[in-house]
Amino acid sequence: ETFTFMQIMIVYIVLGIGPDDIFVFCDAWKQSRAQPSSISGSLETRFEWSWLRAMKAMFVTSLTTCSAFVLTSLSDVPIIASFGT
């Protein structure tokens, strides 16, 4: 097989998987500041609340990105299939 330009672009896409999760978690973290003092009173409870609030959305965003890679690797069009591998 040859090493194509599309395979080089995968590096940028993989780096794009993490930032969407970071944005979701940071938004939940900012929201935790406005919660009652039982949640916003300590870093541990803020982190726990933020994690529980954001983990479903983070899972879904990562799952959709992973699904897109799997589906492109199954394509019959060679250039699209090389993008998913």
Side-chain angles (χ1 to χ4, degrees):
E1 286 187 46
T2 61
F3 192 70
T4 66
F5 174 74
M6 294 303 276
Q7 290 169 328
I8 295 170
M9 294 302 295
I10 288 174
V11 172
Y12 298 102
I13 304 265
V14 169
L15 291 174
I17 292 173
D20 59 347
D21 292 341
I22 291 170
F23 290 132
V24 169
F25 185 79
C26 285
D27 185 53
W29 180 259
K30 289 177 186 176
Q31 292 174 12
S32 71
R33 188 178 318 146
Q35 297 303 310
S37 62
S38 61
I39 294 171
S40 62
S42 73
L43 291 177
E44 290 84 11
T45 56
R46 278 185 75 186
F47 183 83
E48 179 183 6
W49 186 88
S50 300
W51 175 256
L52 292 174
R53 182 160 175 86
M55 72 178 178
K56 289 178 189 172
M58 290 167 49
F59 174 74
V60 170
T61 59
S62 298
L63 181 67
T64 55
T65 304
C66 181
S67 301
F69 279 118
V70 169
L71 292 174
T72 57
S73 69
L74 298 175
S75 175
D76 291 332
V77 180
I79 194 72
I80 294 174
S82 69
F83 188 67
T85 57

